[in-house]
Amino acid sequence: MSTCSTCSKSITRTQLKIQCNDCSKPFHAVCEKLSKVDVEFFTGDGGAVWRCAPCAKERRTSLRLESSLTQGSLTLEDVMKAIQDLKAQQVQSCKDFNNSYEALNSKVDDSLKVNTDLSEKLSKFITTIERLESENVQLKVKLHALESRLEEQEQYTRRYCIEIQGVPVRNSNVMDTVKDVGKALGMEIKEEMIDACHTLGKRKDAEGPPGIIVKFVRRTDADNLLAKRRAKAQFSTRHLNLGTDNPVYLNESLTPARRMLLKKARDFRRTNGYKWLWVRGGKILMRKEDNGPVINVKCQSDLDSL
């Protein structure tokens, strides 16, 4: 953006301007009292020459001196007058230069102040962003810890529960079916030992009868029934005198999150050659070989680190 040599103000793109043919300085057209037609006349293809007032005066003096010199009528007074005019022009040029320099200096100072203010604001924004990022990380850690504690508490409440899979319910009597399973495993189950029992919702893609969930009054009764099942190999419906020979499974009841983690652990076991995978006390445990260390899988990162 250029600066008018008359008013020392900036010349914007929308303002009419004109440039001196001799000194090449820009001017506001309005400062030189030129209309749009005048500007178009001097800047068009006609070759018209426009000079600013100082250059025009210098031009006239120069022409007069040249004419006097040619005609042999140049006097000492003319020479002194020309020198005085040159001095005056030099003083005016210095004055114009100082004014332009001061205006430019002022603009530089303003720009520096704006840059300083922007730098301070940017520094504050960066500090705020860093603080928010740090708080976000801390909140994520706290949220993960709270979710883990909540999931652990939910899993703890399921320590009294056992899920039975593969057993059809006779005459819609779930309690009698649970008693039959206990009897087949060598454990007498009485109604007062059970807080609640019912069938589970069956998935559309699942085969066989819906599962049964049993909540015992005492956790030791649930643990004893699971121990009886682990001690009995190849437990199936034929042990319940149902006329079929389909496997029957008794498992600890897991939370949805832990059930999903168990599924991922099964996939990991198959693809990575782990020999053992089991659930005990709500914990998902793995072992690669018979005498290898037992790995407690608490989250996906535990599998990723193996």
Side-chain angles (χ1 to χ4, degrees):
M1 185 180 293
S2 56
T3 302
C4 177
S5 297
T6 299
C7 65
S8 300
K9 294 182 179 179
S10 299
I11 303 176
T12 64
R13 294 181 179 179
T14 59
Q15 292 177 317
L16 282 174
K17 70 175 182 179
I18 194 166
Q19 185 173 334
C20 178
N21 282 73
D22 288 352
C23 65
S24 299
K25 293 181 180 179
F27 297 84
H28 283 121
V30 67
C31 291
E32 299 303 311
K33 299 180 180 179
L34 297 174
S35 66
K36 184 178 180 180
V37 175
D38 295 332
V39 173
E40 291 175 351
F41 173 74
F42 287 114
T43 57
D45 298 331
V49 175
W50 181 86
R51 295 182 177 88
C52 62
C55 291
K57 183 178 179 181
E58 182 180 358
R59 176 69 174 171
R60 286 194 299 273
T61 301
S62 177
L63 289 174
R64 185 174 62 81
L65 287 174
E66 289 178 4
S67 176
S68 299
L69 182 62
T70 302
Q71 297 174 4
S73 60
L74 184 65
T75 64
L76 179 61
E77 182 181 355
D78 292 332
V79 174
M80 294 302 296
K81 181 68 170 58
I83 292 174
Q84 293 296 328
D85 289 342
L86 288 174
K87 287 183 178 180
Q89 291 175 12
Q90 184 180 12
V91 171
Q92 184 62 40
S93 297
C94 290
K95 183 179 178 181
D96 293 341
F97 174 79
N98 290 335
N99 290 337
S100 299
Y101 180 79
E102 290 176 0
L104 180 62
N105 224 11
S106 176
K107 291 181 179 179
V108 171
D109 291 340
D110 292 342
S111 298
L112 288 175
K113 186 177 183 305
V114 170
N115 288 336
T116 301
D117 293 341
L118 290 176
S119 296
E120 292 177 354
K121 290 181 179 179
L122 181 61
S123 179
K124 290 180 180 179
F125 289 152
I126 292 175
T127 302
T128 302
I129 291 173
E130 290 176 347
R131 177 177 56 81
L132 291 175
E133 287 179 343
S134 177
E135 291 178 357
N136 187 39
V137 171
Q138 294 176 7
L139 288 174
K140 284 183 177 179
V141 172
K142 290 181 180 179
L143 179 61
H144 179 71
L146 289 174
E147 289 177 342
S148 297
R149 287 176 58 186
L150 182 62
E151 205 271 336
E152 286 289 343
Q153 291 177 0
E154 183 182 355
Q155 184 58 52
Y156 183 80
T157 61
R158 292 172 178 257
R159 291 289 302 275
Y160 296 80
C161 299
I162 290 178
E163 294 182 11
I164 304 174
Q165 301 287 345
V167 179
V169 178
R170 296 179 180 179
N171 301 322
S172 300
N173 194 325
V174 180
M175 180 66 72
D176 288 345
T177 303
V178 172
K179 290 179 179 180
D180 291 342
V181 171
K183 183 178 179 181
L185 291 173
M187 176 178 172
E188 182 182 7
I189 298 178
K190 300 179 181 179
E191 291 190 15
E192 56 267 22
M193 296 168 60
I194 297 176
D195 182 31
C197 62
H198 58 83
T199 56
L200 297 168
K202 186 178 179 180
R203 298 194 307 270
K204 293 181 179 181
D205 57 342
E207 298 180 357
I212 300 171
I213 186 167
V214 184
K215 183 178 181 182
F216 287 88
V217 176
R218 298 189 309 167
R219 194 176 73 187
T220 54
D221 292 331
D223 293 339
N224 288 337
L225 185 59
L226 287 172
K228 295 282 187 182
R229 172 62 185 90
R230 285 192 290 268
K232 191 175 184 66
Q234 299 178 350
F235 183 51
S236 68
T237 52
R238 66 183 176 84
H239 296 98
L240 301 172
N241 300 320
L242 295 179
T244 58
D245 191 15
N246 298 319
V248 177
Y249 303 100
L250 274 72
N251 301 304
E252 296 182 25
S253 180
L254 300 178
T255 63
R258 200 154 296 193
R259 194 187 303 275
M260 181 63 68
L261 182 60
L262 178 61
K263 181 179 181 301
K264 293 179 179 179
R266 287 198 185 102
D267 295 338
F268 183 87
R269 172 197 172 192
R270 284 193 296 268
T271 56
N272 292 274
Y274 276 72
K275 186 175 182 180
W276 302 105
L277 173 65
W278 71 99
V279 177
R280 188 67 54 84
K283 297 179 180 180
I284 300 173
L285 306 173
M286 293 180 65
R287 179 181 281 166
K288 191 162 189 177
E289 49 195 22
D290 291 337
N291 297 322
V294 176
I295 301 169
N296 185 6
V297 181
K298 298 179 181 179
C299 56
Q300 177 65 44
S301 60
D302 291 335
L303 295 174
D304 296 336
S305 62
L306 293 176

